Amino acid sequence: MSSHVDVLTEMLSPLESGYLVVVTGAGISVSSGIPTFRGTDPGAIWKRDVTELGTYRFFREDPVESWRWYLSRFSSVLEARPNDAHRAVAALERWQLARGGRFLLITQNVDTLHEDAGSQEMVKVHGTADRIRCPRNGCVHGAPRGSLPRDDFDVGPFLEEPDLRKLPRCPACGEVLRQHVLWFDEYYSEHEDYQWDRVQEAAVTLDALLFVGTSFSVGVTELFLQYAAARRRPTVSIDPGGARAPSPGVQVIQAKSEEVLPAACEALGAPWRS
């Protein structure tokens, strides 16, 4: 463990007023009871369900089945609690800002565990499970900037008897509401909540890059790998499976993020316990 902590502290300590960007994927939430999407753990979501379920096309073809799948998925997501890795990431943010540096967390996860742990400088680039929105672009509750709290809608009647007539509808235009997430057949620029301009700015200005629990299978990770390599910025990936480095120059730490990140915080003098 000490060698893993050394790798992190050697990257983070010299930053001072520099820009630290942390990119997290589903792996950081596994110990909170949320399975990954494409990871190696036995419960990986896309090992059980074809990726066509996570598309706007599928929602339009079968909104009832789309809602049933997401409700079964999100029940565990919204009941989960942050683990020590989430708390440590929030601590790194406070530590970096306190010494005059910049910090941004970009999470691919739709759970609320990072914000529950205290993260504030954050982009949820794939949306969030605790909100829904109108599928009609231009509606006050739809893209490019509208959404609604999930808790404002009672889905109990739909769960008891799945039927199109019982799905939540937009209070402004009457359309059946959709999940406030980025689907596989959509683009990062389609909703302002994904903050794609902020993500791109971070990619070209960061001074150090830390990946935690990501499988490097989506566009946002490729963006950061490309720019970090081109600008020769130090890059570390924490992966308990010890997967091969996604590109030259990335140092892989084979360890559990909920163990190595708190240890690194302690070495840096960044209080992480809630």
Side-chain angles (χ1 to χ4, degrees):
M1 179 65 74
S2 61
S3 62
H4 297 328
V5 172
D6 289 344
V7 170
L8 289 172
T9 57
E10 287 171 9
M11 179 178 75
L12 298 175
S13 293
L15 269 181
E16 297 183 354
S17 61
Y19 192 2
L20 170 60
V21 173
V22 178
V23 180
T24 65
I28 197 173
S29 297
V30 168
S31 70
S32 291
I34 301 176
T36 64
F37 275 77
R38 301 181 183 84
T40 57
D41 66 290
I45 291 298
W46 300 121
K47 287 185 177 179
R48 297 200 309 266
D49 301 281
V50 292
T51 54
E52 69 179 32
L53 290 175
T55 62
Y56 179 72
R57 179 185 61 79
F58 183 74
F59 166 75
R60 277 307 191 192
E61 290 177 354
D62 197 340
V64 170
E65 283 304 310
S66 179
W67 263 92
R68 286 182 65 186
W69 188 84
Y70 274 99
L71 286 174
S72 67
R73 161 73 173 155
F74 286 172
S75 60
S76 62
V77 168
L78 295 173
E79 292 170 1
R81 294 293 176 266
N83 62 57
D84 287 347
H86 298 104
R87 287 184 275 271
V89 169
L92 286 176
E93 174 185 331
R94 294 189 296 268
W95 173 78
Q96 180 65 6
L97 295 178
R99 61 182 190 153
R102 296 179 65 195
F103 179 95
L104 184 63
L105 164 64
I106 299 169
T107 184
Q108 303 165 67
N109 302 337
V110 299
D111 59 53
T112 60
L113 300 184
H114 279 301
E115 50 263 56
D116 292 345
S119 291
Q120 296 184 14
E121 292 296 320
M122 176 178 65
V123 172
K124 302 188 75 171
V125 74
H126 289 164
T128 185
D130 62 344
R131 300 189 72 83
I132 52 181
R133 75 175 192 250
C134 180
R136 188 167 68 85
N137 288 0
C139 177
V140 66
H141 301 306
R145 62 185 61 88
S147 67
L148 294 156
R150 180 179 295 274
D151 287 346
D152 284 359
F153 299 86
D154 180 13
V155 296
F158 174 77
L159 288 171
E160 292 177 4
E161 186 181 353
D163 185 279
L164 182 63
R165 295 167 298 178
K166 297 184 179 181
L167 281 173
R169 290 187 176 269
C170 177
C173 71
E175 287 273 357
V176 172
L177 293 172
R178 56 163 286 175
Q179 313 305 316
H180 188 38
V181 298
L182 179 72
W183 278 327
F184 285 99
D185 54 353
E186 295 181 319
Y187 297 96
Y188 287 111
S189 59
E190 291 189 20
H191 200 285
E192 291 181 6
D193 284 356
Y194 305 150
Q195 300 185 64
W196 189 237
D197 288 343
R198 189 180 183 190
V199 170
Q200 292 178 301
E201 187 271 339
V204 299
T205 58
L206 64 85
D207 295 301
L209 176 60
L210 174 60
F211 291 103
V212 184
T214 179
S215 60
F216 297 99
S217 56
V218 295
V220 66
T221 52
E222 180 60 33
L223 173 75
F224 279 94
L225 287 171
Q226 175 184 341
Y227 278 102
R231 300 175 62 238
R232 298 185 179 181
R233 294 300 186 252
T235 302
V236 171
S237 172
I238 300 175
D239 181 356
R244 184 175 58 86
S247 67
V250 178
Q251 191 163 0
V252 176
I253 293 177
Q254 185 175 358
K256 294 180 178 179
S257 58
E258 63 270 21
E259 295 176 358
V260 70
L261 283 175
C265 284
E266 291 181 1
L268 293 166
W272 63 273
R273 298 182 187 276
S274 56

